[in-house]
Amino acid sequence: MDGEGRQASGSLLILPESVMSQSPALHQRLGIDLPILQAPMAGAQGSALAIAVARAGGLGALPCAMLSPEAMAEEVAAFRAATPAPLNVNFFCHVPPEPDPAAQARWHAALAPFFAEFGLDIDAVPEGPGRRPFDRETCDALEPLRPEVVSFHFGLPEAALLDRVKSWGATVLASATTVAEAEWLEARGADAVIVQGLEAGGHRGMFLDGEVTTQVGTFALLPQVREAIGLPLIAAGGIADARGVAAARALGADGVQVGTALLCCPEATISAIHRRALQSEAARHTALTNLYSGRPARGIVTRLMRELGPMAEVAPAFPLATAAIAPLRAAAEASGSGDFSPLWAGQNASRCREVSAAEVIESLAAGL
């Protein structure tokens, strides 16, 4: 024991209780055996992955921002039929952008050479939002399903909707990518904060501003948030094995959220192209890009990202970029190429293997 009360245990430094999490029983509050959460990953999973994680003792999650009310109900029913474990359902809280024909025209012009390469008609691209925020209609559809946990990306819904979610006893989680966002979430009623470091794959949860230079790594952000707020914290980004779990806990996390390490599990639904990329040298090079949706998200660098630049001003506001990318993605994937696919991945794909989700959860639990 040194003069500051820190004790070394093997190679791991155990921090004093004052620095550790203020709510060590997060997993008990969530009703799970292990403080390990599965990241909700739209387009990469359905209920099968959530079920597998729940059966292994973690918190399974369903990404619902792209689901109709009917599809959401079906997925929740499938989960309920398979396990009595608690469930996390996840939604976005973005503000839908106003239509901007000029911006859309610039976006189509930038993509036109790619469309011509595949013999596609860019004028035939259907327009559509692709993702909807959590609104009254969504809340109406969700309330009868009574999920135990509801999580939000890009902030929180309006106070009246948040009150409704809490009225049926749901625990509310929300993502923060800066200290200011964590403080904002605490002040507005979140029950726990997912501290999303820059390493994390998929969409950044940033919502107070769009400046990517504000984004920092998990293990730099986590202790700062721990000092700033009193809510339970869930570390996300770059955590792929027991060592990452132990490090997050030592820095004040009550639990961890894992996504990339689960993507190659048989229960995930990603394409063969995405699986190969995750298990190749290509996974060592990821970048933030707004080309696939209009909002910063981390994925393996693709031809589209190289040729237009990963963060391009020409991309329309979230989520309007998606519609014009879809035909290019389909055409390229039909020929076995991921040049135009959103190959979402975090910076640490080192444990992305074709093993069961239960095996991944078990390996992570060794860090507890």
Side-chain angles (χ1 to χ4, degrees), residues 70-137:
E70 295 76 18
M72 178 176 68
E74 289 174 2
E75 287 283 62
V76 172
F79 182 92
R80 297 296 192 208
T83 173
L87 173 66
N88 171 23
V89 293
N90 177 258
F91 300 93
F92 290 165
C93 292
H94 61 286
V95 178
E98 294 293 329
D100 187 340
Q104 202 70 4
R106 290 192 295 271
W107 179 230
H108 283 194
L111 297 178
F114 302 125
F115 271 73
E117 181 180 326
F118 287 100
L120 300 172
D121 181 8
I122 197 165
D123 294 326
V125 172
E127 300 302 330
R131 298 166 176 85
R132 63 182 297 166
F134 189 80
D135 54 18
R136 183 187 303 175
E137 181 181 348

Side-chain angles (χ1 to χ4, degrees), residues 219-297:
F219 297 111
L221 179 60
L222 182 57
Q224 296 181 64
V225 175
R226 179 71 286 158
E227 290 183 5
I229 69 172
L231 295 179
L233 303 183
I234 300 152
I239 300 169
D241 58 22
R243 295 170 298 176
V245 173
R249 297 277 283 179
L251 289 172
D254 300 276
V256 299
Q257 180 171 278
V258 178
T260 302
L262 293 163
L263 283 176
C264 287
C265 295
E267 297 92 347
T269 60
I270 62 172
S271 68
I273 291 170
H274 196 170
R275 288 177 188 272
R276 287 196 300 269
L278 284 164
Q279 296 176 307
S280 73
E281 288 296 310
R284 295 180 182 273
H285 187 190
T286 66
L288 294 183
T289 181
N290 63 345
L291 296 176
Y292 289 106
S293 71
R295 200 170 184 125

Side-chain angles (χ1 to χ4, degrees), residues 27 141 206 217 357:
H27 63 291
M206 54 199 300

Side-chain angles (χ1 to χ4, degrees), residues 8 19 24 40 109 128 135-136 158 171 197 199 218 225 270 293 320 330 334 346 361:
V19 181
D135 54 18
R136 183 187 303 175
E158 61 181 73
T171 298
E199 303 94 328
T218 305
V225 175
I270 62 172
S293 71
L320 301 178
I361 299 302

Side-chain angles (χ1 to χ4, degrees), residues 46 120 294 306 339 343:
L120 300 172
R306 288 192 298 269
D339 283 345
L343 304 176

